[in-house]
Short mmCIF file of all heavy atoms in Angstrom, two decimals:
data_model
loop_
_atom_site.label_atom_id
_atom_site.label_comp_id
_atom_site.label_asym_id
_atom_site.label_seq_id
_atom_site.Cartn_x
_atom_site.Cartn_y
_atom_site.Cartn_z
N ILE A 1 13.27 3.07 1.23
CA ILE A 1 12.52 1.92 1.16
C ILE A 1 11.31 2.14 0.10
O ILE A 1 10.73 3.13 0.06
CB ILE A 1 11.92 1.39 2.44
CG1 ILE A 1 13.03 0.90 3.41
CG2 ILE A 1 10.91 0.14 2.29
CD1 ILE A 1 12.63 0.73 4.78
N GLN A 2 11.06 1.09 -0.74
CA GLN A 2 9.98 1.19 -1.74
C GLN A 2 9.10 -0.08 -1.57
O GLN A 2 9.58 -1.18 -1.19
CB GLN A 2 10.64 1.18 -3.07
CG GLN A 2 9.73 1.08 -4.20
CD GLN A 2 10.25 1.30 -5.65
OE1 GLN A 2 10.68 2.30 -6.10
NE2 GLN A 2 10.57 0.05 -6.32
N GLY A 3 7.77 0.15 -1.83
CA GLY A 3 6.86 -0.95 -1.96
C GLY A 3 6.34 -1.61 -0.71
O GLY A 3 6.38 -0.95 0.32
N GLY A 4 5.74 -2.74 -0.88
CA GLY A 4 5.41 -3.58 0.26
C GLY A 4 3.78 -3.84 0.19
O GLY A 4 3.41 -4.95 0.59
N LEU A 5 3.03 -2.95 -0.35
CA LEU A 5 1.47 -3.22 -0.29
C LEU A 5 1.13 -4.42 -1.18
O LEU A 5 1.69 -4.69 -2.28
CB LEU A 5 0.78 -2.03 -0.89
CG LEU A 5 -0.70 -2.07 -0.87
CD1 LEU A 5 -1.28 -1.95 0.58
CD2 LEU A 5 -1.45 -1.07 -1.73
N ASP A 6 0.34 -5.26 -0.68
CA ASP A 6 -0.10 -6.48 -1.43
C ASP A 6 -0.93 -6.11 -2.58
O ASP A 6 -1.98 -5.48 -2.33
CB ASP A 6 -0.89 -7.31 -0.42
CG ASP A 6 -1.22 -8.81 -1.04
OD1 ASP A 6 -1.26 -9.02 -2.18
OD2 ASP A 6 -1.31 -9.76 -0.28
N PRO A 7 -0.70 -6.61 -3.78
CA PRO A 7 -1.39 -6.14 -4.98
C PRO A 7 -2.89 -6.55 -4.87
O PRO A 7 -3.67 -5.94 -5.54
CB PRO A 7 -0.65 -6.85 -6.11
CG PRO A 7 0.63 -7.10 -5.61
CD PRO A 7 0.62 -7.32 -4.13
N LYS A 8 -3.19 -7.67 -4.06
CA LYS A 8 -4.55 -8.03 -3.95
C LYS A 8 -5.39 -7.08 -3.24
O LYS A 8 -6.66 -7.08 -3.31
CB LYS A 8 -4.51 -9.39 -3.15
CG LYS A 8 -3.97 -10.54 -4.04
CD LYS A 8 -4.27 -11.90 -3.48
CE LYS A 8 -3.33 -12.28 -2.15
NZ LYS A 8 -1.98 -12.47 -2.57
N ILE A 9 -4.68 -6.08 -2.50
CA ILE A 9 -5.57 -5.10 -1.86
C ILE A 9 -6.35 -4.36 -2.92
O ILE A 9 -7.39 -3.73 -2.66
CB ILE A 9 -4.70 -4.18 -0.88
CG1 ILE A 9 -3.97 -5.01 0.16
CG2 ILE A 9 -5.50 -3.07 -0.33
CD1 ILE A 9 -4.86 -5.62 1.31
N LEU A 10 -5.70 -4.15 -4.05
CA LEU A 10 -6.37 -3.36 -5.13
C LEU A 10 -7.55 -4.02 -5.66
O LEU A 10 -8.29 -3.51 -6.45
CB LEU A 10 -5.21 -3.03 -6.24
CG LEU A 10 -4.34 -2.02 -5.96
CD1 LEU A 10 -3.13 -2.08 -6.85
CD2 LEU A 10 -5.00 -0.56 -6.05
N LEU A 11 -7.72 -5.24 -5.37
CA LEU A 11 -8.91 -6.00 -5.77
C LEU A 11 -10.02 -5.96 -4.76
O LEU A 11 -11.16 -6.56 -5.13
CB LEU A 11 -8.59 -7.56 -6.08
CG LEU A 11 -7.34 -7.80 -6.97
CD1 LEU A 11 -7.18 -9.40 -7.08
CD2 LEU A 11 -7.69 -7.25 -8.34
N THR A 12 -9.82 -5.28 -3.72
CA THR A 12 -10.96 -5.21 -2.68
C THR A 12 -11.73 -3.87 -2.94
O THR A 12 -12.17 -3.69 -4.03
CB THR A 12 -10.40 -5.11 -1.31
OG1 THR A 12 -9.43 -4.07 -1.00
CG2 THR A 12 -9.46 -6.50 -0.91
N ASP A 13 -11.97 -3.05 -1.84
CA ASP A 13 -12.87 -1.81 -2.00
C ASP A 13 -12.00 -0.65 -1.53
O ASP A 13 -10.93 -0.79 -0.89
CB ASP A 13 -14.10 -1.94 -1.23
CG ASP A 13 -13.88 -2.38 0.16
OD1 ASP A 13 -13.40 -1.38 1.02
OD2 ASP A 13 -14.10 -3.46 0.75
N ARG A 14 -12.48 0.56 -1.83
CA ARG A 14 -11.76 1.75 -1.55
C ARG A 14 -11.47 1.96 -0.12
O ARG A 14 -10.35 2.45 0.25
CB ARG A 14 -12.49 2.99 -2.22
CG ARG A 14 -12.43 3.07 -3.71
CD ARG A 14 -13.16 4.12 -4.32
NE ARG A 14 -12.99 4.26 -5.75
CZ ARG A 14 -13.62 3.28 -6.53
NH1 ARG A 14 -14.34 2.34 -6.16
NH2 ARG A 14 -13.41 3.45 -7.84
N GLU A 15 -12.40 1.57 0.68
CA GLU A 15 -12.17 1.87 2.11
C GLU A 15 -11.17 1.01 2.71
O GLU A 15 -10.20 1.42 3.45
CB GLU A 15 -13.43 1.49 2.97
CG GLU A 15 -14.50 2.58 2.98
CD GLU A 15 -13.77 3.96 3.39
OE1 GLU A 15 -13.26 3.99 4.47
OE2 GLU A 15 -13.86 4.90 2.64
N ASN A 16 -11.01 -0.24 2.28
CA ASN A 16 -9.92 -1.18 2.67
C ASN A 16 -8.58 -0.80 2.07
O ASN A 16 -7.53 -0.76 2.76
CB ASN A 16 -10.34 -2.57 2.19
CG ASN A 16 -9.32 -3.55 2.81
OD1 ASN A 16 -9.11 -3.56 4.03
ND2 ASN A 16 -8.66 -4.54 1.85
N LEU A 17 -8.66 -0.30 0.83
CA LEU A 17 -7.48 0.13 0.07
C LEU A 17 -6.78 1.40 1.03
O LEU A 17 -5.69 1.41 1.28
CB LEU A 17 -7.82 0.63 -1.34
CG LEU A 17 -6.59 1.21 -2.02
CD1 LEU A 17 -5.44 0.27 -2.28
CD2 LEU A 17 -7.21 1.82 -3.36
N LYS A 18 -7.69 2.29 1.32
CA LYS A 18 -7.32 3.49 2.10
C LYS A 18 -6.70 3.07 3.48
O LYS A 18 -5.71 3.50 3.86
CB LYS A 18 -8.59 4.49 2.30
CG LYS A 18 -8.03 5.76 2.95
CD LYS A 18 -9.34 6.56 2.93
CE LYS A 18 -8.96 8.01 3.57
NZ LYS A 18 -10.17 8.95 3.55
N LYS A 19 -7.29 2.19 4.03
CA LYS A 19 -6.87 1.63 5.34
C LYS A 19 -5.49 1.00 5.19
O LYS A 19 -4.56 1.34 6.03
CB LYS A 19 -7.77 0.68 5.95
CG LYS A 19 -7.45 0.14 7.33
CD LYS A 19 -8.37 -0.88 7.82
CE LYS A 19 -8.11 -2.27 7.17
NZ LYS A 19 -8.93 -3.46 7.77
N GLU A 20 -5.27 0.13 4.22
CA GLU A 20 -4.06 -0.47 4.15
C GLU A 20 -2.90 0.44 3.64
O GLU A 20 -1.76 0.20 4.07
CB GLU A 20 -4.22 -1.77 3.18
CG GLU A 20 -5.14 -2.73 3.62
CD GLU A 20 -4.62 -3.56 4.95
OE1 GLU A 20 -3.36 -3.69 5.02
OE2 GLU A 20 -5.50 -3.88 5.81
N ALA A 21 -3.25 1.27 2.65
CA ALA A 21 -2.22 2.15 2.18
C ALA A 21 -1.80 3.13 3.23
O ALA A 21 -0.56 3.35 3.36
CB ALA A 21 -2.78 3.05 1.05
N LYS A 22 -2.69 3.62 4.16
CA LYS A 22 -2.31 4.49 5.10
C LYS A 22 -1.31 3.83 6.23
O LYS A 22 -0.65 4.52 6.84
CB LYS A 22 -3.58 5.10 5.75
CG LYS A 22 -4.22 6.17 4.93
CD LYS A 22 -5.01 7.13 5.64
CE LYS A 22 -5.33 8.18 4.75
NZ LYS A 22 -6.03 9.48 5.34
N LYS A 23 -1.52 2.60 6.32
CA LYS A 23 -0.61 1.82 7.29
C LYS A 23 0.84 1.99 6.90
O LYS A 23 1.76 2.40 7.68
CB LYS A 23 -0.93 0.24 7.32
CG LYS A 23 -2.11 -0.12 8.06
CD LYS A 23 -2.08 -1.69 8.09
CE LYS A 23 -3.47 -2.23 8.67
NZ LYS A 23 -3.67 -3.67 8.34
N TYR A 24 1.07 1.86 5.53
CA TYR A 24 2.53 2.10 5.00
C TYR A 24 2.91 3.45 5.02
O TYR A 24 3.95 3.86 5.50
CB TYR A 24 2.57 1.55 3.62
CG TYR A 24 2.64 0.00 3.42
CD1 TYR A 24 1.59 -0.67 3.41
CD2 TYR A 24 3.92 -0.58 3.51
CE1 TYR A 24 1.53 -2.06 3.37
CE2 TYR A 24 4.00 -1.96 3.48
CZ TYR A 24 2.79 -2.62 3.29
OH TYR A 24 2.90 -4.04 3.35
N LEU A 25 1.91 4.36 4.83
CA LEU A 25 2.20 5.86 4.81
C LEU A 25 2.64 6.26 6.22
O LEU A 25 3.53 7.08 6.41
CB LEU A 25 1.11 6.68 4.25
CG LEU A 25 0.95 6.60 2.73
CD1 LEU A 25 -0.46 7.06 2.37
CD2 LEU A 25 2.11 7.21 1.93
N GLU A 26 1.88 5.73 7.20
CA GLU A 26 2.18 6.15 8.64
C GLU A 26 3.51 5.49 9.13
O GLU A 26 4.29 6.21 9.77
CB GLU A 26 1.00 5.62 9.49
CG GLU A 26 1.03 5.86 11.00
CD GLU A 26 1.33 7.38 11.29
OE1 GLU A 26 0.68 8.31 10.53
OE2 GLU A 26 1.93 7.70 12.21
N VAL A 27 3.77 4.23 8.88
CA VAL A 27 5.01 3.53 9.23
C VAL A 27 6.08 4.33 8.77
O VAL A 27 7.29 4.50 9.47
CB VAL A 27 5.10 2.09 8.84
CG1 VAL A 27 6.42 1.51 9.04
CG2 VAL A 27 3.97 1.26 9.55
N PHE A 28 6.14 4.82 7.44
CA PHE A 28 7.20 5.37 6.81
C PHE A 28 7.15 6.90 6.80
O PHE A 28 7.76 7.56 6.07
CB PHE A 28 7.39 4.81 5.35
CG PHE A 28 7.68 3.38 5.24
CD1 PHE A 28 6.73 2.46 4.79
CD2 PHE A 28 8.92 2.90 5.75
CE1 PHE A 28 7.08 1.13 4.74
CE2 PHE A 28 9.21 1.60 5.74
CZ PHE A 28 8.40 0.66 5.20
N ARG A 29 6.34 7.40 7.70
CA ARG A 29 6.17 8.94 7.71
C ARG A 29 7.47 9.70 7.91
O ARG A 29 7.71 10.68 7.25
CB ARG A 29 5.11 9.31 8.83
CG ARG A 29 4.72 10.72 8.86
CD ARG A 29 3.36 10.84 9.71
NE ARG A 29 3.59 10.15 10.93
CZ ARG A 29 3.91 10.66 12.09
NH1 ARG A 29 4.48 11.89 12.05
NH2 ARG A 29 4.10 9.93 13.21
N GLU A 30 8.38 9.18 8.72
CA GLU A 30 9.60 9.90 9.02
C GLU A 30 10.80 9.18 8.27
O GLU A 30 11.96 9.48 8.44
CB GLU A 30 9.94 9.82 10.44
CG GLU A 30 8.77 10.28 11.40
CD GLU A 30 8.62 11.87 11.26
OE1 GLU A 30 9.60 12.51 10.79
OE2 GLU A 30 7.58 12.40 11.64
N HIS A 31 10.48 8.33 7.31
CA HIS A 31 11.49 7.67 6.53
C HIS A 31 11.34 7.90 5.17
O HIS A 31 10.31 7.91 4.58
CB HIS A 31 11.34 6.01 6.83
CG HIS A 31 12.49 5.18 6.36
ND1 HIS A 31 13.52 4.96 7.34
CD2 HIS A 31 12.85 4.84 5.31
CE1 HIS A 31 14.36 4.08 6.65
NE2 HIS A 31 14.00 4.03 5.39
N PRO A 32 12.47 7.95 4.36
CA PRO A 32 12.28 8.13 2.81
C PRO A 32 11.73 6.94 2.28
O PRO A 32 12.26 5.81 2.42
CB PRO A 32 13.85 8.33 2.33
CG PRO A 32 14.67 7.91 3.53
CD PRO A 32 13.91 8.07 4.81
N TYR A 33 10.60 7.14 1.60
CA TYR A 33 9.71 6.14 1.07
C TYR A 33 9.09 6.34 -0.26
O TYR A 33 8.58 7.43 -0.50
CB TYR A 33 8.66 5.82 2.12
CG TYR A 33 7.70 4.65 1.90
CD1 TYR A 33 8.13 3.27 1.79
CD2 TYR A 33 6.29 4.82 1.51
CE1 TYR A 33 7.23 2.31 1.35
CE2 TYR A 33 5.52 3.90 1.15
CZ TYR A 33 5.90 2.55 1.23
OH TYR A 33 5.14 1.49 0.81
N ILE A 34 9.17 5.33 -1.07
CA ILE A 34 8.59 5.35 -2.39
C ILE A 34 7.47 4.43 -2.36
O ILE A 34 7.58 3.18 -2.20
CB ILE A 34 9.54 5.00 -3.55
CG1 ILE A 34 10.82 5.89 -3.45
CG2 ILE A 34 8.88 4.96 -4.92
CD1 ILE A 34 12.07 5.33 -4.28
N PHE A 35 6.18 4.90 -2.47
CA PHE A 35 5.02 4.03 -2.45
C PHE A 35 4.97 3.12 -3.78
O PHE A 35 5.11 3.60 -4.93
CB PHE A 35 3.67 4.73 -2.55
CG PHE A 35 2.61 4.03 -1.80
CD1 PHE A 35 2.35 4.09 -0.44
CD2 PHE A 35 1.86 3.00 -2.49
CE1 PHE A 35 1.35 3.38 0.22
CE2 PHE A 35 1.00 2.20 -1.94
CZ PHE A 35 0.63 2.46 -0.61
N ASN A 36 4.83 1.84 -3.49
CA ASN A 36 4.63 0.88 -4.60
C ASN A 36 4.08 -0.42 -4.00
O ASN A 36 3.64 -0.42 -2.83
CB ASN A 36 6.27 0.50 -5.16
CG ASN A 36 6.06 0.10 -6.64
OD1 ASN A 36 5.33 -0.75 -7.01
ND2 ASN A 36 6.98 0.64 -7.42
N LEU A 37 4.12 -1.48 -4.71
CA LEU A 37 3.48 -2.78 -4.27
C LEU A 37 4.62 -3.71 -3.90
O LEU A 37 5.76 -3.41 -4.14
CB LEU A 37 2.65 -3.37 -5.36
CG LEU A 37 1.53 -2.44 -5.97
CD1 LEU A 37 0.72 -3.07 -7.06
CD2 LEU A 37 0.56 -2.03 -4.95
N GLY A 38 4.08 -4.80 -3.36
CA GLY A 38 5.08 -5.81 -3.01
C GLY A 38 5.28 -6.91 -4.16
O GLY A 38 5.94 -7.91 -4.02
N HIS A 39 4.67 -6.66 -5.27
CA HIS A 39 4.73 -7.30 -6.50
C HIS A 39 4.00 -6.62 -7.57
O HIS A 39 3.48 -5.40 -7.21
CB HIS A 39 4.19 -8.74 -6.31
CG HIS A 39 4.73 -9.81 -7.45
ND1 HIS A 39 5.98 -9.50 -8.06
CD2 HIS A 39 4.29 -10.94 -7.80
CE1 HIS A 39 6.17 -10.42 -8.88
NE2 HIS A 39 5.23 -11.37 -8.71
N GLY A 40 3.88 -7.14 -8.79
CA GLY A 40 3.20 -6.28 -9.79
C GLY A 40 1.63 -6.15 -9.81
O GLY A 40 1.08 -7.00 -9.07
N VAL A 41 1.17 -5.12 -10.48
CA VAL A 41 -0.25 -4.98 -10.53
C VAL A 41 -0.94 -6.25 -11.10
O VAL A 41 -0.40 -6.75 -12.18
CB VAL A 41 -0.60 -3.70 -11.39
CG1 VAL A 41 -2.14 -3.57 -11.45
CG2 VAL A 41 -0.02 -2.54 -10.83
N LEU A 42 -2.08 -6.61 -10.51
CA LEU A 42 -2.61 -7.91 -11.09
C LEU A 42 -3.63 -7.56 -12.33
O LEU A 42 -4.13 -6.53 -12.29
CB LEU A 42 -3.48 -8.53 -9.93
CG LEU A 42 -2.54 -9.13 -8.79
CD1 LEU A 42 -3.48 -9.51 -7.59
CD2 LEU A 42 -1.84 -10.35 -9.16
N PRO A 43 -3.68 -8.51 -13.23
CA PRO A 43 -4.58 -8.18 -14.36
C PRO A 43 -5.97 -7.76 -14.18
O PRO A 43 -6.59 -7.05 -14.90
CB PRO A 43 -4.45 -9.56 -15.18
CG PRO A 43 -3.24 -10.31 -14.64
CD PRO A 43 -3.11 -9.89 -13.23
N ASP A 44 -6.64 -8.36 -12.98
CA ASP A 44 -8.02 -8.05 -12.64
C ASP A 44 -8.27 -6.79 -12.02
O ASP A 44 -9.28 -6.35 -11.55
CB ASP A 44 -8.73 -9.17 -11.96
CG ASP A 44 -8.65 -10.51 -12.58
OD1 ASP A 44 -8.64 -10.59 -13.84
OD2 ASP A 44 -8.61 -11.52 -12.00
#
């Protein structure tokens, strides 16, 4: 599985980014996973 993180999370702050990214890393800890977003990087 690849992706999933909401690109808008990258518009918040580092603490929130860490919390949200770790959710995906934990869920897919035992599963083959490629970290990516649920859509493209936003211009801002």
Side-chain angles (χ1 to χ4, degrees):
I1 294 168
Q2 174 177 280
L5 185 73
D6 190 333
K8 292 193 284 294
I9 300 296
L10 285 163
L11 303 181
T12 61
D13 57 73
R14 283 175 181 78
E15 277 309 304
N16 190 50
L17 176 64
K18 187 173 184 178
K19 182 183 77 173
E20 295 298 325
K22 288 206 163 186
K23 279 184 192 173
Y24 283 88
L25 291 168
E26 182 55 35
V27 168
F28 295 113
R29 188 162 46 91
E30 306 291 337
H31 194 97
Y33 180 65
I34 300 158
F35 205 101
N36 207 314
L37 305 176
H39 202 20
V41 179
L42 295 166
D44 295 337

